[in-house]
Amino acid sequence: MLEDVEYLDLYGTEPSAIEMVFAIFANVLEVDDEGRVLNFTHAQRRATDYLKSYCNPSFKVEPTLEDWETELYGPPAIRREE
């Protein structure tokens, strides 16, 4: 899916782009009650399309990414024992 896309340099220089790739993949991924992944290829495609568009602004993600796909979540709150 990333053939001819120069993206490896982003790992050291633009971590927010890589964070967004992981966020899109995790947000789109669907898992059933048994823990089986239902849409791996679709989640992978959405994430790699974002990365392609990041590396090549002339590439357009279709359909356009929705807000819920690009939502970033912080870590869970730390529970302190009292």
Side-chain angles (χ1 to χ4, degrees):
M1 290 183 186
L2 291 173
E3 188 174 327
D4 299 324
V5 177
E6 299 294 328
Y7 66 93
L8 291 178
D9 289 341
L10 296 177
Y11 281 95
T13 59
E14 300 190 46
S16 62
I18 302 306
E19 177 185 32
M20 184 57 67
V21 170
F22 280 100
I24 293 167
F25 181 77
N27 290 341
V28 173
L29 197 67
E30 294 177 5
V31 180
D32 70 13
D33 292 337
E34 303 296 317
R36 290 181 295 250
V37 175
L38 304 174
N39 66 339
F40 178 84
T41 303
H42 177 68
Q44 183 182 36
R45 170 70 62 194
R46 297 298 281 164
T48 57
D49 279 358
Y50 165 80
L51 190 56
K52 283 182 191 177
S53 72
Y54 189 89
C55 293
N56 178 2
S58 67
F59 179 84
K60 301 297 179 206
V61 177
E62 293 294 334
T64 303
L65 290 164
E66 297 184 33
D67 289 343
W68 66 268
E69 292 176 290
T70 60
E71 185 73 29
L72 295 174
Y73 298 93
I78 297 174
R79 288 200 253 170
R80 303 211 186 270
E81 294 185 32
E82 294 181 39

